[in-house]
C-alpha cells in the first residue's frame, strides 16, 4: 500500500497560537516536499516509485529485505540517499504478543521523503495523526531525525514493558515453577537478543550519519541527531542490562529445577531403602509364617505378630536414621 502526505499550515485561529504551525495532511498525489509511506508494496506500486520518484530498484528491494542490516547508501547518479534502520515490531502468534525487529528504508530524494517497509509500522501513525508537534515536511532532514527519535523512544517503551513482564514472570516462578513461565522468559530472552543486535547496528549507522555529507544538516539538525544517538545508546544499554538479568534468571531457575530434582531423587532413594529392610525379614520368615487367613493362624498367631512388629520397628529406626542424616527433606 502507498500513502501520500504533505504539510499544510494552520492559521493562528486554527492553531490556537500566535505563530503559524504546520500539520501533516493526506494528499492524493505526489507533490514536492511530500512524504510517501509505502508498506508491503505491489509490483505496480514499486514501478510508481521507480518511474515517478526515480528511486533505484535495489534501494527498494533492500528496504524490503528482512535480513538487511542497518546501513546508509548513496546513489551518485540520482543523488538519492538510502537509510535502513532496524525498528521494533510487534506481532501476535497464537494470542501471544511477540516483539521482533524489522528493517525500514528511509529514502531521501531531492524533493521527497519515502519510507518503505514490509509492514504497516504503527510508530509512524503518530506523525500521520499530528501527535508530534513542530513537523514540517519541507525540512526533510529534520523530519528524518524526528522519525529516528521516535524509533528510539519505541525501543525504550517496549524495553520498559519487557522489564515489567520479567518482574511478573519472576514473581510467578517464585510461587511455583511452571513451563508457561519458563517459555515466557525464553521469549523475553529472544526478544532482547533481537533488540541488542539491532540497536548495536543502528548505533553504527548513526555514527556514520554524523560523518556523512550526503545528508545536509544544519546546526539544529545536528543537535537533534545528538539526542537521537543518546536515546539509542540508552536503549542499547537497557537491552544489554535486561538481557544479562534474563540470563542470570534462567541460570538461577535452572539450578533450582536441578536441585528440586535431586531432592526428589534423594527422597525416593531413602524411601526405597526404608521399605527394603522389612523385605529382608519377610524373605526369611514370611514363607513359613501362617497368615491371618490360614487355618493354623489361630493356633500360632505369634510368628506373624512378631514378624510384623520387627518390620514396623525396622521401618521406624531406619526412618529416624534417614531423618537425622537429612535424607528425607
Amino acid at each position: 500500500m502507498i500513502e501520500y502526505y504533505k504539510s499544510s499550515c494552520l492559521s493562528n485561529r486554527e492553531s490556537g497560537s500566535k505563530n503559524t504551525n504546520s500539520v501533516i495532511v493526506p494528499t492524493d498525489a505526489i507533490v514536492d516536499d511530500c512524504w510517501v509511506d509505502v508498506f508491503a508494496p505491489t509490483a505496480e506500486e514499486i514501478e510508481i516509485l521507480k518511474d515517478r520518484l526515480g528511486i533505484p530498484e535495489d534501494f527498494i528491494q533492500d528496504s524490503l529485505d528482512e535480513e538487511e542490516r542497518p546501513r546508509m547508501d548513496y546513489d551518485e547518479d540520482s543523488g538519492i540517499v538510502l537509510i535502513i534502520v532496524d525498528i521494533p515490531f510487534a506481532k501476535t502468534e497464537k494470542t501471544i504478543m511477540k516483539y521482533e525487529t524489522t528493517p525500514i528504508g528511509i529514502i531521501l530524494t531531492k524533493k521527497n521523503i519515502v519510507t518503505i517497509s514490509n509492514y504497516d509500522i504503527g510508530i509512524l501513525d503518530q506523525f500521520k495523526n499530528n501527535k508530534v508537534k513542530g513537523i514540517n515536511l519541507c525540512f526533510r532532514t529534520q523530519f528524518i531525525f524526528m522519525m529516528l527519535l521516535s524509533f528510539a523512544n519505541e525501543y525504550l517503551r517496549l524495553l520498559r514493558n519487557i522489564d515489567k513482564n520479567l518482574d511478573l514472570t519472576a514473581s510467578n516462578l517464585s510461587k511455583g515453577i511452571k513451563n508457561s513461565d519458563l517459555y515466557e522468559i525464553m521469549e523475553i530472552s529472544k526478544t532482547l537478543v533481537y533488540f541488542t543486535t539491532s540497536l548495536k547496528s543502528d548505533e553504527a549507522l548513526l555514527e556514520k550519519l554524523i560523518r556523512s555529507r550526503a545528508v545536509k544538516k544544519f546546526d539544529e539538525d545536528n543537535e537533534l541527531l545528538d539526542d537521537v544517538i543518546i536515546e539509542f545508546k540508552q536503549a542499547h544499554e537497557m537491552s544489554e542490562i535486561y538481557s544479562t538479568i534474563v540470563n542470570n534468571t534462567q541460570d538461577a531457575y535452572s539450578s533450582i529445577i536441578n536441585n528440586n530434582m535431586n531432592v526428589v531423587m534423594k527422597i525416593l532413594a531413602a524411601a526405597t531403602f526404608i521399605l527394603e529392610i522389612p523385605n529382608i525379614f519377610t524373605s526369611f520368615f514370611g514363607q513359613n509364617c501362617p497368615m491371618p487367613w490360614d487355618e493354623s493362624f489361630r493356633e500360632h498367631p505369634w510368628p506373624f505378630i512378631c514378624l510384623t512388629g520387627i518390620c514396623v520397628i525396622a521401618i521406624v529406626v531406619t526412618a529416624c536414621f534417614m531423618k537425622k542424616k537429612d535424607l528425607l527433606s
Side-chain angles (χ1 to χ4, degrees):
M1 185 174 180
I2 185 168
E3 298 175 343
Y4 309 103
Y5 297 89
K6 66 178 182 179
S7 291
S8 177
C9 293
L10 289 175
S11 64
N12 296 345
R13 181 179 301 178
E14 291 172 328
S15 63
S17 173
K18 295 181 180 180
N19 300 320
T20 301
N21 291 334
S22 175
V23 296
I24 294 178
V25 296
T27 182
D28 296 331
I30 298 175
V31 296
D32 290 348
D33 295 322
C34 77
W35 167 30
V36 182
D37 183 36
V38 185
F39 58 92
T42 62
E44 292 78 8
E45 291 171 341
I46 291 177
E47 290 299 324
I48 292 175
L49 298 177
K50 291 166 55 180
D51 297 338
R52 299 284 304 277
L53 297 174
I55 300 176
E57 184 174 1
D58 56 336
F59 280 14
I60 300 174
Q61 297 301 331
D62 291 346
S63 301
L64 298 174
D65 185 2
E66 287 287 348
E67 305 301 325
E68 190 69 32
R69 304 309 307 154
R71 63 183 180 87
M72 181 178 175
D73 201 354
Y74 176 71
D75 184 72
E76 296 182 355
D77 296 333
S78 59
I80 295 177
V81 179
L82 169 66
I83 301 173
I84 296 180
V85 187
D86 267 351
I87 62 174
F89 178 74
K91 67 178 183 179
T92 304
E93 289 186 2
K94 298 180 180 179
T95 69
I96 299 176
M97 184 65 72
K98 296 183 178 181
Y99 300 106
E100 296 181 359
T101 57
T102 185
I104 180 174
I106 303 175
I107 300 176
L108 180 62
T109 69
K110 292 182 178 181
K111 296 182 179 181
N112 304 100
I113 299 172
V114 183
T115 53
I116 305 177
S117 62
N118 286 305
Y119 307 99
D120 184 8
I121 305 301
I123 309 173
L124 299 179
D125 291 342
Q126 58 185 315
F127 296 97
K128 300 176 183 178
N129 299 328
N130 292 289
K131 294 182 179 179
V132 180
K133 303 301 181 181
I135 297 297
N136 191 329
L137 296 179
C138 296
F139 306 119
R140 288 170 290 162
T141 302
Q142 183 186 62
F143 180 61
I144 291 175
F145 292 166
M146 290 295 292
M147 280 197 294
L148 294 176
L149 184 61
S150 69
F151 298 156
N153 290 333
E154 183 69 8
Y155 271 116
L156 292 172
R157 185 184 70 83
L158 294 181
L159 285 169
R160 294 188 187 98
N161 290 341
I162 289 173
D163 184 37
K164 293 179 182 178
N165 292 337
L166 181 60
D167 291 340
L168 179 60
T169 304
S171 177
N172 293 336
L173 284 172
S174 64
K175 300 175 184 177
I177 297 177
K178 299 179 181 179
N179 288 340
S180 58
D181 294 328
L182 294 176
Y183 290 144
E184 182 69 22
I185 288 184
M186 288 175 58
E187 287 297 330
I188 292 175
S189 177
K190 185 169 67 172
T191 296
L192 290 173
V193 170
Y194 288 144
F195 280 13
T196 302
T197 304
S198 296
L199 285 167
K200 184 177 180 180
S201 300
D202 287 341
E203 281 189 52
L205 167 67
L206 293 174
E207 295 295 338
K208 184 177 180 181
L209 194 57
I210 291 178
R211 302 187 300 268
S212 175
R213 296 182 180 179
V215 179
K216 296 181 180 179
K217 299 181 289 290
F218 298 94
D219 291 339
E220 294 180 356
D221 298 332
N222 288 324
E223 293 177 2
L224 181 57
L225 183 56
D226 290 338
D227 293 338
V228 172
I229 293 175
I230 291 173
E231 294 297 313
F232 267 99
K233 286 184 177 180
Q234 180 182 353
H236 188 194
E237 291 174 358
M238 289 176 60
S239 180
E240 288 184 336
I241 291 172
Y242 294 159
S243 183
T244 302
I245 293 174
V246 169
N247 291 335
N248 292 339
T249 302
Q250 287 179 314
D251 293 340
Y253 283 110
S254 177
S255 300
I256 292 173
I257 293 173
N258 291 334
N259 182 66
N260 291 343
M261 181 62 68
N262 292 335
V263 170
V264 171
M265 295 303 297
K266 180 182 69 173
I267 294 175
L268 290 177
T272 302
F273 186 77
I274 291 172
L275 296 176
E276 186 63 26
I277 290 182
N279 190 41
I280 297 175
F281 296 101
T282 56
S283 298
F284 278 109
F285 304 106
Q287 185 175 2
N288 299 319
C289 179
M291 297 290 104
W293 53 81
D294 294 336
E295 294 181 358
S296 59
F297 181 77
R298 292 182 180 180
E299 299 178 359
H300 306 284
W302 289 108
F304 176 81
I305 296 174
C306 292
L307 184 59
T308 302
I310 292 173
C311 292
V312 172
I313 293 172
I315 290 175
V316 173
V317 172
T318 306
C320 292
F321 177 78
M322 294 290 183
K323 184 69 175 179
K324 186 177 181 179
K325 294 297 183 180
D326 196 27
L327 296 174
L328 291 176
S329 60

